[in-house]
Amino acid sequence: MPPPKDVVKIAIQMMGAIPQLIDLNQTKPLSYVLKEVCDTWNLNNPEHYALQYVDGQQTYITESNRGEIKNGSILRLTTSPDQEAERLYSGIQSNNLDVKSDSLKKLANLSQDVTFAQEFINRNGLKQLFHIVEEGNNTGEILAYTLKAFMELMEHDFVSWETLSPAFIKKIVSYVNMNAMDASVQQLSLSILENMVPSSRLLFDVVKKEVTLDRLLTHLQVTNQQLQLKAMALLIAMLLNANDAERRDMMDHLGERNIRQFIHKNIIHSSEPMGDEMAHYLYVLQSVSLNLLERRMRTPMDPYSQEQRELLQSLRQAAFESENEASASSFSTERRRSLCAKEFRKLGFMNNSNPAQDLYRAPPGLLALDNMIYFSRNSPSAYSRFVLENSSREDKHECPFARSSIQLTLILCEILHVGEPCSETAQAFYPMFFGQYHFFEELFCVCIQLVNKTWKEMRATQEDFDKVLQVVREQITRTLSIKPTSLELFKTKVNGLNYSEILKLRQTERMHQEETLAVPVLELREKLKPELLELIRQQRLLHLCEGTLFRKISSRRRQDKLWYCRLSPNHKVLHYGDVEEGVQCPPIESLQEKMPVVDMKALLIGKECPHVKEKSSGKQNKDVLDLAFSIVYDVEEYYLNFVAPTRYEFCLWTDGINVLLGKEMASERTQSDLDILLSMELKLRLLDLENIPIPDDAPPVPKPPSNLNFCYNFSHAEQ
C-alpha cells in the first residue's frame, strides 16, 4: 500500500548519534516533529533545535518551506537559528582572534539562509559588522569574512543600502583604491560598491567621485579573473545608472584609454575560457556603446540647418565636383540648380530636388547621413567607384547609393539593437566590436559595398530594391552569427557568402525544416524511390502510347512536313507515318510504318544523332541540337530520327525509349518528377508526426526480461 500523500520518508542525523529514519507527517506542526526527534535522542528543550538540510545550501526547515522536503531527503538536527544567531553575535565581538575569525566564517556561511539572516539582523548584528570595518584594525581573513557576511545579509533586502554610514563607505572605497590589499577583500569591496550604485543617486555620486575610471581600469588589467570580473561589474553598474551626458563622457574617457582594444586582447583572447558573467558584461558594454548612436538615429534632418545642408552638398561634391567644377562656375543659378538635382539623382536620392526629404524618416535619421559622410571621407576611392559605376548603368539597373545607405543603416541598427534596452541575461557580444575603432561606421563601409556587389550578382532593377536589401540583411546576420574576431575577417566571410550561397543555404534549411534530411527520413526516401521510379516509367510509356506530332526538318531546315509516332498499347511496336496539317491524334491503324521494340538497339541524343551530323557544315541551330534524338534499330546503319517540339516532349520520349531498352531514365525531368513525388509521399507519410522531432538513431531495444511470469490471468478477475 503506498504511503499517504502527506507523509515523506526522511533520514535525520546528529553528531555522535545513530541516524533516525522517520515518516514525516507534513500535517503535524514542526514543533511536534522536533519534540519527537529530540525525545528519541533524549534531548531537552526541543525549542532550541531546528532541522537543516545536510546537502546544498544547508537551509533551515521552517513551516513555510517544509513542503519542499522530498522522499529520501537527509536532514540534520542542529541549533535553532535564534540560538545560533545569539552565539555568533557574541562570537564576533570576542577579543580572541581565533574565536572571532571562526564566528565570522560561520556567519558568512549561515547568512545565506533567510531565517538565520533575519534573526541576526534583529539582534542589530549589522551594526557590529559596521564597527569591525570602521575601526580598521582587522585585515586578511577577518575582514574578508566580515565583508562576505555583510554582503550575504544585505542580499535578503531586510535593510536598505542607503542606511550605510559615510565612515563605512569611506573604508570600502579605500580598500578598492589601495594598491597593496588582499585580493579577496578588494573583490568583496567592489561587489559592495556595485550594489550601492543602483540603490540611490546619492550613493552613485559618492562612488563615481571616490572610485575613478582609471582605478577600475587598473583592476581590469590584473591577472586575477575574479577581481577583473568584479571591476567590470562595477564599471557596468556605473554606466547603466549614469544619465546620458555622464554616460557619453565616461565612454569617451574609456575610449581615450583604449579599453576596447585592451578587452579584445586580454579578455576575449585570454588563454583562460571566458565565463558567462563576463560575457554578459561585455554584451552590456557593447550595447551601451552602440546606444550612444540612438540620439542621431532618432533625429530627422532639419532642412533649415546650414550645417546639415553643407554635409549633403559635400557628398555630392566628393563624387562629382572634380569633373564639373570648372564648367559649373560659368552656369546660371537655374542651370547650377538643375545640375545639382541631376547629381543628387545619380547619388541615389529619391527626391533629387530636395534630398533632405529622404532623411526625414527617423530612424535612421541623421545616422544615415553620418555614415554616408564617413564612407565618402574615409574610403573616397570606394565611394567614387560605387557612385560612378552606377551612374553609367541603365536607369533601372543602377544601385541607388543614398537610398541603399539609408535602408542599410536602419538594418544595421535593427541587427545590432541600437536604441533597445539591455537584456538582463544576454551574452551575445561581437568580438570584432572590441577590436575596431569607429565600429558602426566601419561596418557600414563594408556592408554598403556588399550591397553593390549583391545588386550586381542578382542583376537587380529598381523594383528589386527590397529583395536585395533582404538578402544583404541575411548575409550580414549569418556572418555575424559565426562571431568573426575582426572586421577584416567579417569582410572576407560576408563577401564569400554570395547570392548563390544564400539560395543554397535557404534550400538546405527548408529541407531541414521539413525534416527531409533526418537519417530515418533519408532511409525512407531510399525505400520509396523504386516504387516511384516505376510510377514514372509507366507514365512515360503511357505518354508514348498517346503519341506525339513531330516535324521533319529538310536540308534547308524548312519545317514543312509533319509525322506522327506512337507506341502500341502492348508496348511491342512503334507505329509512325506522315500526317496532314491539322491532324492532332491519328488512329494507330493509319500509321503505315512499324518498328518492333525488340529491334531497337540504342538511343542517340544531341550531336550524336546522324540527322544533326549531316547538317553540321552549316551554322548549328542550338534549339534543334537540344531537341534531337535518334533510335538505332535492326543494324547500326538504320536510324529513326526525331526533333522534339519541346524540351518537355524530348525528356518524356528519351525516358520512354530508355525504359523500352531496359536502361535508366536520364533526363532532368525524371529527377524533377521524382523529387516532387518523393516530397508529396514523405509529407503524407509523416503527417501524423508533425511537430514531433525525429531522432537520427532508432531508440534502443530493451533487453528481454529475466523471466516471462508476468501474464495476467483474466479468469481469476472474472470470478
Side-chain angles (χ1 to χ4, degrees):
M1 183 176 175
K5 190 181 293 186
D6 294 325
V7 175
V8 289
K9 293 181 178 295
I10 60 170
I12 301 179
Q13 299 176 346
M14 187 179 75
M15 187 73 70
I18 299 172
Q20 297 182 39
L21 298 175
I22 69 166
D23 291 343
L24 175 61
N25 191 331
Q26 295 283 39
T27 61
K28 292 182 179 180
L30 205 54
S31 57
Y32 179 84
V33 175
L34 281 168
K35 186 175 187 310
E36 286 187 335
V37 172
C38 289
D39 288 347
T40 304
W41 279 323
N42 298 318
L43 298 173
N44 298 321
N45 301 320
E47 66 274 8
H48 292 166
Y49 294 93
L51 294 175
Q52 187 182 44
Y53 285 107
V54 170
D55 302 320
Q57 289 190 358
Q58 302 178 3
T59 309
Y60 282 104
I61 304 299
T62 63
E63 291 290 355
S64 59
N65 66 13
R66 64 184 294 181
E68 299 170 12
I69 301 174
K70 306 291 187 229
N71 274 311
S73 296
I74 302 175
L75 306 181
R76 178 194 298 121
L77 186 69
T78 185
T79 312
S80 64
D82 59 330
Q83 294 292 309
E84 196 65 38
E86 187 64 43
R87 188 177 69 80
L88 292 179
Y89 181 74
S90 300
I92 64 175
Q93 299 178 64
S94 173
N95 293 324
N96 185 321
L97 292 181
D98 290 337
V99 172
K100 188 173 188 175
S101 179
D102 289 343
S103 298
L104 285 166
K105 182 178 181 180
K106 189 162 187 182
L107 176 64
N109 185 45
L110 284 176
S111 294
Q112 298 176 45
D113 183 88
V114 64
T115 309
F116 171 84
Q118 191 156 24
E119 291 290 345
F120 187 80
I121 290 171
N122 289 343
R123 283 166 174 72
N124 216 4
L126 277 174
K127 185 176 180 181
Q128 192 57 42
L129 294 181
F130 291 158
H131 178 70
I132 294 172
V133 173
E134 289 169 7
E135 67 180 4
N137 299 326
N138 300 289
T139 56
E141 282 190 345
I142 288 182
L143 183 56
Y145 291 143
T146 303
L147 296 179
K148 173 69 174 169
F150 170 76
M151 275 295 297
E152 294 296 346
L153 291 167
M154 293 298 288
E155 284 290 328
H156 299 295
D157 288 333
F158 292 132
V159 180
S160 169
W161 287 90
E162 295 180 63
T163 60
L164 302 185
S165 68
F168 179 83
I169 296 172
K170 188 175 180 180
K171 273 291 180 184
I172 299 298
V173 167
S174 70
Y175 299 147
V176 170
N177 289 332
M178 278 185 198
N179 290 323
M181 174 53 68
D182 184 80
S184 60
V185 172
Q186 287 194 322
Q187 289 171 33
L188 289 161
S189 300
L190 287 165
S191 290
I192 291 170
L193 295 179
E194 178 203 349
N195 282 277
M196 286 168 52
V197 164
S199 300
S200 73
R201 181 67 201 187
L202 181 63
L203 290 177
F204 168 82
D205 290 335
V206 170
V207 175
K208 184 174 180 291
K209 179 183 176 183
E210 299 294 337
V211 182
T212 64
L213 291 179
D214 289 337
R215 186 62 197 164
L216 288 180
L217 292 177
T218 303
H219 286 306
L220 278 176
Q221 293 171 19
V222 299
T223 54
N224 184 323
Q225 279 196 318
Q226 280 303 309
L227 187 56
Q228 205 176 57
L229 182 67
K230 298 303 179 186
M232 181 64 81
L234 177 55
L235 174 62
I236 295 301
M238 292 174 69
L239 283 169
L240 290 177
N241 288 278
N243 59 41
D244 289 344
E246 290 170 332
R247 191 178 298 120
R248 195 172 293 275
D249 289 342
M250 290 169 72
M251 290 303 298
D252 288 344
H253 185 82
L254 293 173
E256 291 170 6
R257 297 293 187 270
N258 296 324
I259 185 175
R260 277 158 62 171
Q261 285 67 35
F262 171 80
I263 289 171
H264 190 261
K265 181 180 178 182
N266 298 307
I267 296 180
I268 295 174
H269 292 294
S270 169
S271 56
E272 297 294 325
M274 184 186 299
D276 291 346
E277 202 173 348
M278 180 60 84
H280 172 67
Y281 291 143
L282 293 186
Y283 152 77
V284 175
L285 185 60
Q286 171 188 285
S287 182
V288 168
S289 180
L290 288 172
N291 279 349
L292 295 178
L293 302 169
E294 182 181 6
R295 188 176 63 182
R296 297 289 284 179
M297 180 187 78
R298 300 197 185 281
T299 305
M301 183 162 181
D302 179 3
Y304 301 106
S305 168
Q306 181 66 25
E307 179 190 356
Q308 293 173 20
R309 289 205 306 271
E310 286 174 358
L311 287 174
L312 265 182
Q313 289 298 329
S314 70
L315 271 180
R316 180 187 63 80
Q317 291 164 0
F320 303 110
E321 195 72 6
S322 56
E323 58 187 64
N324 294 325
E325 192 172 6
S327 56
S329 58
S330 59
F331 291 162
S332 64
T333 304
E334 190 63 34
R335 181 73 186 279
R336 278 201 301 272
R337 189 179 292 116
S338 174
L339 181 62
C340 287
K342 182 180 178 183
E343 289 173 348
F344 275 122
R345 188 191 62 76
K346 287 183 179 180
L347 270 176
F349 284 95
M350 298 181 72
N351 193 319
N352 48 68
S353 60
N354 185 10
Q357 286 187 6
D358 288 27
L359 294 161
Y360 285 174
R361 183 175 56 147
L366 290 175
L367 188 58
L369 179 59
D370 295 342
N371 283 336
M372 288 188 278
I373 294 295
Y374 185 92
F375 182 49
S376 68
R377 290 176 180 174
N378 291 273
S379 302
S381 57
Y383 171 67
S384 298
R385 186 165 57 251
F386 187 119
V387 175
L388 298 177
E389 181 182 301
N390 284 285
S391 299
S392 60
R393 291 182 191 161
E394 294 179 36
D395 282 354
K396 66 175 184 176
H397 284 288
E398 63 182 14
C399 177
F401 170 73
R403 185 184 176 195
S404 300
S405 297
I406 293 167
Q407 190 61 29
L408 176 62
T409 301
L410 182 61
I411 288 171
L412 290 177
C413 288
E414 290 172 355
I415 291 173
L416 298 174
H417 306 291
V418 175
E420 295 180 19
C422 299
S423 163
E424 294 183 3
T425 56
Q427 301 167 12
F429 70 91
Y430 299 110
M432 67 175 180
F433 167 82
F434 294 95
Q436 182 64 52
Y437 289 106
H438 304 292
F439 168 75
F440 191 84
E441 294 85 351
E442 289 291 339
L443 182 64
F444 172 84
C445 292
V446 172
C447 294
I448 192 62
Q449 294 175 75
L450 174 69
V451 172
N452 193 35
K453 174 177 174 287
T454 304
W455 186 280
K456 289 187 285 186
E457 288 171 355
M458 294 175 66
R459 298 174 182 174
T461 62
Q462 294 293 332
E463 290 76 18
D464 301 320
F465 180 82
D466 291 336
K467 183 180 176 183
V468 173
L469 269 294
Q470 187 180 0
V471 172
V472 170
R473 176 194 284 270
E474 192 170 340
Q475 290 170 316
I476 297 168
T477 307
R478 288 181 183 275
T479 307
L480 285 176
S481 68
I482 63 175
K483 300 290 182 71
T485 53
S486 68
L487 193 67
E488 275 305 311
L489 185 57
F490 171 84
K491 184 177 181 180
T492 303
K493 294 285 186 184
V494 81
N495 284 318
L497 194 62
N498 54 36
Y499 180 54
S500 59
E501 285 296 316
I502 289 290
L503 293 179
K504 288 178 188 175
L505 287 168
R506 286 176 177 176
Q507 177 66 18
T508 305
E509 286 169 1
R510 195 176 299 117
M511 293 176 73
H512 273 295
Q513 195 173 6
E514 295 172 357
E515 293 188 325
T516 53
L517 294 184
V519 174
V521 178
L522 292 175
E523 291 174 359
L524 179 59
R525 280 176 69 96
E526 292 304 314
K527 287 184 179 180
L528 291 173
K529 268 186 183 179
E531 179 186 339
L532 296 177
L533 281 171
E534 181 58 32
L535 186 65
I536 294 172
R537 290 189 195 98
Q538 295 301 322
Q539 188 269 339
R540 299 300 194 252
L541 293 176
L542 185 62
H543 186 79
L544 265 60
C545 290
E546 291 175 356
T548 302
L549 192 65
F550 297 93
R551 286 187 178 273
K552 289 184 178 179
I553 298 184
S554 63
S555 57
R556 295 183 181 180
R557 298 297 169 92
R558 289 174 59 197
Q559 301 183 8
D560 50 356
K561 292 186 178 180
L562 300 173
W563 65 289
Y564 202 87
C565 185
R566 65 189 299 177
L567 181 66
S568 63
N570 60 8
H571 302 167
K572 291 185 177 180
V573 180
L574 269 179
H575 297 262
Y576 60 96
D578 294 344
V579 294
E580 296 295 328
E581 187 82 40
V583 177
Q584 294 298 322
C585 187
I588 198 166
E589 298 81 12
S590 65
L591 304 174
Q592 301 300 318
E593 305 292 334
K594 297 179 182 179
M595 179 196 298
V597 170
V598 293
D599 292 344
M600 292 166 52
K601 305 297 181 187
L603 172 69
L604 306 177
I605 60 173
K607 292 180 180 179
E608 299 172 347
C609 299
H611 61 307
V612 173
K613 286 181 180 178
E614 289 169 6
K615 302 171 180 60
S616 61
S617 55
K619 184 180 179 182
Q620 287 291 330
N621 188 322
K622 190 175 183 302
D623 292 340
V624 173
L625 199 64
D626 288 342
L627 300 174
F629 63 97
S630 301
I631 300 173
V632 183
Y633 65 97
D634 201 8
V635 288
E636 290 199 4
E637 53 265 31
Y638 292 99
Y639 304 94
L640 183 60
N641 300 320
F642 298 77
V643 176
T646 63
R647 185 69 187 177
Y648 174 78
E649 289 288 345
F650 172 87
C651 291
L652 266 59
W653 270 87
T654 53
D655 283 343
I657 293 165
N658 276 322
V659 171
L660 294 173
L661 291 170
K663 296 181 179 180
E664 293 291 327
M665 297 178 289
S667 76
E668 68 268 19
R669 187 78 193 183
T670 298
Q671 189 58 50
S672 171
D673 289 351
L674 181 62
D675 288 342
I676 292 170
L677 291 171
L678 275 171
S679 177
M680 290 173 61
E681 187 67 22
L682 282 170
K683 285 177 180 176
L684 288 171
R685 300 246 182 152
L686 300 176
L687 203 57
D688 292 337
L689 297 177
E690 191 174 2
N691 297 325
I692 298 176
I694 301 174
D696 288 343
D697 302 315
V701 178
K703 294 178 181 178
S706 56
N707 65 73
L708 302 173
N709 302 328
F710 48 79
C711 178
Y712 185 79
N713 193 335
F714 287 94
S715 60
H716 291 294
E718 290 170 0
Q719 292 173 5

